[in-house]
């Protein structure tokens, strides 16, 4: 006969599932391990993941910073997952079991993820078989919406990674004249294929500023999107923005304080927009917008997924993201 549970003890696990997950155990140390995935609680769903994008914002976690505590929870900080709902908790009507979803979570470097039902957004059948790292696609839609880009606007995108390339495409399709700037020749080639009219190298800052001024009759750009998250790209973006223009900060500046040329900001009367969202509902709205854009062909992220790795190869994915060799733009991890 089994002994009675002590009063106040935790309930026994129901429907236990084990899966492989990545664990960041220290700077540049990632291991895979077997972990238990509990049954979803009220309002939750369990998703069998098909994959997760590898985000540049995770680089500092991989490289190590004094403010990170290791080991991280299993699956963290993967936040670009997608897959199918395998089980639902109490009170969940949507999404139902079997629904393919993009998830907004932070533990998607794994085979399974447990998320709130409201953070699992259904994907239409037209996207079946296509990778869908929803969070960065949602970011692109939110940044674009905040930028106020209209037909005829002259736009500069400073930093052409995955997000920058998506913003180039969105701006071109909105009827803007787009100038793309990057240090990498390969990234500039991508921007040209997406419709950028000019692609100066940001390695030559003076040359880039001179070229943009020549293209804009010495006025500057109506809107400049800074996407790289570096001091140098913030400085360059400032230089390229015209009087009463809009400077949109989309880059993730997470390696320390920044300085800004406040004299120039004041003199030009710039509108400066921090396009990072922290409202959970805005993330959901952006993801829904990204799903609709992909389903209708407004965005086509598939050519931007340049590398694929198994979960056990996650360290290699991070190393490539750090070095950014020719041909690299976005990596996906497929469990």
């Amino acid at each position: 006969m089994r002994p009675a549970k002590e009063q106040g003890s935790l309930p026994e696990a129901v429907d236990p599932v084990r899966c492989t997950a990545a664990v960041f155990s220290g700077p540049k140390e990632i291991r895979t391990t077997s972990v238990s995935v509990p049954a979803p609680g009220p309002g939750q769903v369990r998703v069998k993941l098909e994959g997760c994008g590898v985000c540049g914002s995770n680089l500092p976690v991989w490289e190590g910073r004094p403010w990170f505590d290791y080991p991280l929870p299993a699956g963290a900080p993967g936040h670009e997952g997608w897959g199918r709902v395998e089980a639902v908790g109490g009170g969940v009507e949507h999404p139902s079991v079997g629904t393919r979803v993009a998830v907004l979570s932070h533990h998607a470097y794994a085979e399974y993820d447990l998320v709130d039902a409201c953070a699992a957004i259904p994907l239409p059948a037209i996207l079946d078989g296509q990778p869908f790292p929803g969070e960065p696609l949602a970011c692109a839609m939110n940044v674009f919406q905040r930028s106020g880009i209209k037909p005829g606007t002259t736009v500069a995108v400073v930093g052409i990674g995955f997000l920058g390339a998506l913003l180039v495409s969105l701006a071109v399709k909105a009827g803007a004249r787009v100038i793309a700037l990057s240090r990498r020749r390969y990234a500039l080639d991508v921007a040209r294929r997406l419709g950028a009219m000019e692609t100066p190298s940001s390695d030559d800052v003076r040359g880039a500023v001179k070229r943009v001024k020549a293209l804009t009759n010495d006025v500057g750009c109506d809107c400049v999107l800074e996407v790289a998250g570096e001091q140098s790209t913030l400085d360059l973006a400032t230089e390229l923005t015209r009087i009463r223009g809009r400077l949109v900060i989309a880059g993730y500046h997470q390696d320390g304080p920044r300085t800004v040329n406040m004299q120039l900001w004041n003199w030009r009367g710039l509108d400066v927009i921090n396009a990072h969202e922290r409202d959970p509902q805005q993330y959901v709205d952006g993801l829904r917008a990204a799903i609709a854009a992909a389903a209708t062909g407004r965005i086509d992220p598939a050519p931007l997924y340049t590398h694929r790795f198994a979960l056990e190869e996650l360290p290699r994915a991070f190393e490539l993201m750090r070095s950014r060799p020719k041909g690299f733009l976005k990596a996906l991890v497929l469990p």
Side-chain angles (χ1 to χ4, degrees):
M1 181 175 180
R2 298 174 65 185
K5 297 179 185 175
E6 294 181 9
Q7 190 165 355
S9 64
L10 293 174
E12 292 182 5
V14 178
D15 189 23
V17 171
R18 297 199 68 81
C19 78
T20 300
V23 175
F24 285 60
S25 53
K28 296 187 178 180
E29 295 179 6
I30 304 174
R31 56 183 173 85
T32 54
T33 187
S34 177
V35 297
S36 177
V37 184
Q44 292 183 319
V45 299
R46 186 172 66 216
V47 177
K48 182 173 177 56
L49 294 166
E50 295 176 10
C52 181
V54 182
C55 180
S57 70
N58 293 164
L59 265 177
V61 185
W62 178 70
E63 293 171 339
R65 297 289 190 274
W67 52 85
F68 294 126
D69 292 324
Y70 299 95
L72 271 61
H79 58 272
E80 300 183 2
W82 73 94
R84 288 193 184 274
V85 176
E86 188 187 73
V88 302
V92 175
E93 296 183 2
H94 304 285
S96 59
V97 171
T99 303
R100 193 165 184 256
V101 295
V103 298
L104 295 169
S105 72
H106 293 89
H107 302 90
Y109 290 143
E111 292 178 310
Y112 286 88
D113 201 357
L114 197 65
V115 303
D116 292 338
C118 61
I121 310 303
L123 297 171
I126 196 171
L127 298 179
D128 280 356
Q130 300 181 33
F132 205 88
E135 192 271 348
L137 298 173
C139 281
M141 302 306 293
N142 284 332
V143 170
F144 183 76
Q145 190 274 332
R146 294 282 296 276
S147 70
I149 293 171
K150 295 179 174 61
T153 303
T154 300
V155 176
V157 181
V158 182
I160 308 300
F162 183 69
L163 178 58
L166 288 169
L167 292 169
V168 167
S169 179
L170 285 166
V172 167
K173 290 185 177 181
R177 301 169 64 242
V178 180
I179 303 166
L181 301 98
S182 174
R183 290 191 294 261
R184 296 196 300 151
R185 181 175 298 178
Y186 169 74
L188 295 177
D189 290 341
V190 170
R192 278 192 291 273
R193 290 198 297 270
L194 293 172
M197 68 172 190
E198 291 283 342
T199 55
S201 172
S202 57
D203 255 346
D204 178 7
V205 174
R206 289 185 179 180
V209 173
K210 183 177 180 181
R211 181 59 183 152
V212 171
K213 286 186 175 181
L215 291 167
T216 60
N217 296 320
D218 209 31
V219 172
C221 296
D222 303 308
C223 179
V224 179
L225 307 174
E226 188 279 316
V227 194
E230 300 175 0
Q231 180 68 61
S232 61
T233 52
L234 180 60
D235 294 340
L236 176 56
T238 296
E239 291 284 348
L240 301 180
T241 312
R242 69 166 174 83
I243 291 174
R244 293 297 290 127
R246 185 178 296 110
L247 173 58
V248 181
I249 312 299
Y252 196 24
H253 294 262
Q254 58 176 331
D255 59 346
R258 293 287 184 253
T259 61
V260 298
N261 187 342
M262 188 57 71
Q263 181 183 23
L264 192 55
W265 282 20
N266 283 167
W267 175 250
R268 293 188 181 175
L270 302 183
D271 292 333
V272 181
I273 297 173
N274 180 356
H276 289 266
E277 304 291 351
R278 291 295 176 262
D279 179 353
Q281 186 58 51
Q282 191 61 44
Y283 281 119
V284 172
D285 291 346
L287 180 49
R288 292 188 187 279
I291 292 169
T296 59
R298 184 182 173 198
I299 59 173
D300 179 16
L304 307 179
Y305 307 136
T306 56
H307 290 71
R308 288 165 168 78
F309 297 94
L311 188 60
E312 293 77 10
E313 298 176 303
L314 189 55
R316 186 175 166 218
F318 273 93
E319 181 55 42
L320 280 183
M321 186 165 57
R322 183 198 63 78
S323 61
R324 294 184 178 273
K326 180 180 179 181
F328 179 88
L329 203 66
K330 179 72 171 178
L332 304 176
V333 170
L334 309 174

